[in-house]
Amino acid sequence: MRELYKKRAKQLFYAYLGLLTLIFLASLVLYPFFKLPLPSKLIIYSVGFVFFFALFSIPLALYLRKKLFPVEMSKDPYWSYTATRRYFWLFVLVSLPFFIAFLIYLIFASLLLLFLGYTLSLVGLLLVKPKEEDVI
């Protein structure tokens, strides 16, 4: 039972990563329709804003991961639901830089910002990736 859950947790991770990548690639395809000349100050402030969210969300997710895992099968009758819910919300927390960068991209169409948000979120997702010892 536990081995099947570990397989499903990895599938959830790859599905979430695939969703982020799909949104990123769709944004790249639509970039020629949105691009505008942007002042450099706006780009600098936006990059700082995304970095701030990354500095906030990734350490917080790593801290919460230490506190929330491992999930013990013997103590929690709904251990699979609990672990899946925790994984999902950690993934959402870690991908905040990309979502903030995506919202700014929709308004100002800064390709640099979109790349930065995606890269920071990708690094965060790799840091909170499901591990073997998360469910004991």
Side-chain angles (χ1 to χ4, degrees), residues 80-127:
S80 63
Y81 171 73
T82 303
T84 303
R85 188 183 66 222
R86 290 176 181 176
Y87 280 134
F88 176 76
W89 288 112
L90 284 176
F91 295 164
V92 168
L93 183 63
V94 163
S95 59
L96 265 179
F98 177 69
F99 291 131
I100 297 298
F102 180 71
L103 289 175
I104 295 172
Y105 172 80
L106 288 177
I107 298 169
F108 299 116
S110 172
L111 198 58
L112 169 71
L113 195 61
L114 192 66
F115 274 116
L116 177 69
Y118 179 74
T119 305
L120 290 173
S121 294
L122 184 65
V123 168
L125 279 171
L126 291 175
L127 290 174

Side-chain angles (χ1 to χ4, degrees), residues 19 41 96:
L19 174 69
K41 266 192 171 181
L96 265 179

Side-chain angles (χ1 to χ4, degrees), residues 54-66 90 93-94:
L55 289 175
F56 165 75
S57 66
I58 293 173
L60 179 62
L62 291 173
Y63 173 76
L64 289 175
R65 180 171 172 55
K66 278 187 174 181
L90 284 176
L93 183 63
V94 163

